[in-house]
Amino acid sequence: MEPLQKSMGDDRALPGFADVPEHIRGSYRIGRQAGRLMAELAVLVRAMAVRGGEPFDYRAYLAGLGMEDRYASWKAFVRGYFFDRRNPEALRSAAVGLARDVVVMRDALGTAAIAQARQAATAFDRAAMNQAPGLSLQKTCDCLKAFTGAAAAHLAPEERDAMRSGRAVERLRVALGAGAKKSVIWQELQQLLLLADGAVLPLDLAALYRLQVQGHLLAKNGRLIAERAELREAVEQVFRV
């Protein structure tokens, strides 16, 4: 995809930046919540499984995601970043937020999606009480996959696109933060750019331009010229929701 001409003005002045309807905003929000949970759990469950659960470089992982290291050890990271009820950044907070938000959108989502979101939160709480939480966290991932499938089948087309856009943002954000290979970055970036191309959501054109330029270079010669933190910032800003 050729990059668009970079906008030099205030993107908010362009057509299409009206207030986003709440049902679209909500669909995007649950997409990001589910996408973050699935992407981060995939990384961290693998990390726990390697060599009997020995530590991986969680400090570099947090730095890659632009988050502060508040943890004194790998064990403290697992308990705090995964399960601490008082930590708004914890994955448990995202699971609880998803279970809460789907109830608000119950008419749009349907009962099957709501049930799967609740089961994901329940499996997450079971993992918090387990000395070896990997199995319950895998159950959480399975429920989240079932949730996204059930939600996509029930949502209206614009809501479904908004949910998928939120999920794509988180998949690419986590891939960048976790130091994924360029081939993975390209795959996730392609998906995000395709969704942005027909987006029902307002776009930050400067952020979109940065992503398109990087996508063009990856497709042409596999180059990753921007800092990953810079790309992650563009990913987080591309949809103005």
Side-chain angles (χ1 to χ4, degrees):
M1 179 185 294
E2 292 290 338
L4 52 77
Q5 184 177 355
K6 187 173 182 180
S7 171
M8 301 301 293
D10 185 350
D11 292 337
R12 290 172 298 180
L14 296 174
F17 280 86
D19 289 339
V20 179
E22 183 54 38
H23 65 103
I24 300 295
R25 192 187 306 275
S27 298
Y28 178 75
R29 183 167 57 245
I30 64 173
R32 287 202 65 167
Q33 288 166 332
R36 179 202 171 191
L37 284 164
M38 286 189 287
E40 289 208 57
L41 286 174
V43 171
L44 297 171
V45 168
R46 282 198 301 270
M48 286 191 292
V50 171
R51 297 176 62 187
E54 289 185 14
F56 86 129
D57 193 350
Y58 75 89
R59 292 183 176 89
Y61 178 74
L62 288 172
L65 293 177
M67 297 175 126
E68 182 182 351
D69 176 16
R70 302 172 179 166
Y71 311 99
S73 66
W74 159 253
K75 185 176 181 180
F77 167 73
V78 171
R79 304 311 299 182
Y81 189 74
F82 277 70
F83 303 120
D84 188 353
R85 293 170 179 263
R86 298 164 298 178
N87 182 3
E89 293 181 345
L91 295 178
R92 183 188 180 280
S93 297
V96 171
L98 176 64
R100 179 188 61 240
D101 287 346
V102 297
V103 173
V104 176
M105 295 186 62
R106 56 186 175 273
D107 292 338
L109 289 167
T111 56
I114 293 171
Q116 291 295 339
R118 287 174 172 168
Q119 287 181 40
T122 299
F124 212 102
D125 283 340
R126 286 180 184 151
M129 298 182 287
N130 197 324
Q131 291 298 316
L135 188 60
S136 292
L137 290 175
Q138 184 58 55
K139 173 67 174 176
T140 303
C141 292
D142 293 342
C143 290
L144 288 167
K145 290 177 184 176
F147 161 75
T148 57
H154 203 274
L155 288 169
E158 288 189 347
E159 295 165 337
R160 183 166 57 248
D161 287 349
M163 184 187 75
R164 287 174 173 166
S165 296
R167 185 181 175 190
V169 163
E170 289 298 321
R171 287 174 62 96
L172 181 51
R173 184 185 74 88
V174 173
L176 288 164
K181 295 179 181 179
K182 292 177 184 177
S183 59
V184 175
I185 300 298
W186 170 227
Q187 181 181 0
E188 298 297 346
L189 180 55
Q190 272 187 304
Q191 181 63 30
L192 182 59
L193 290 174
L194 283 172
L195 288 163
D197 188 49
V200 299
L201 300 165
L203 297 167
D204 182 314
L205 298 185
L208 179 61
Y209 174 79
R210 279 188 285 169
L211 296 177
Q212 287 179 324
V213 167
Q214 182 58 81
H216 182 66
L217 292 171
L218 278 171
K220 188 175 181 180
N221 53 28
R223 293 175 62 198
L224 191 65
I225 60 166
E227 294 290 335
R228 288 184 181 235
E230 179 186 345
L231 288 175
R232 193 193 68 241
E233 181 182 6
V235 169
E236 292 172 346
Q237 293 175 351
V238 68
F239 296 112
R240 299 176 67 105
V241 181

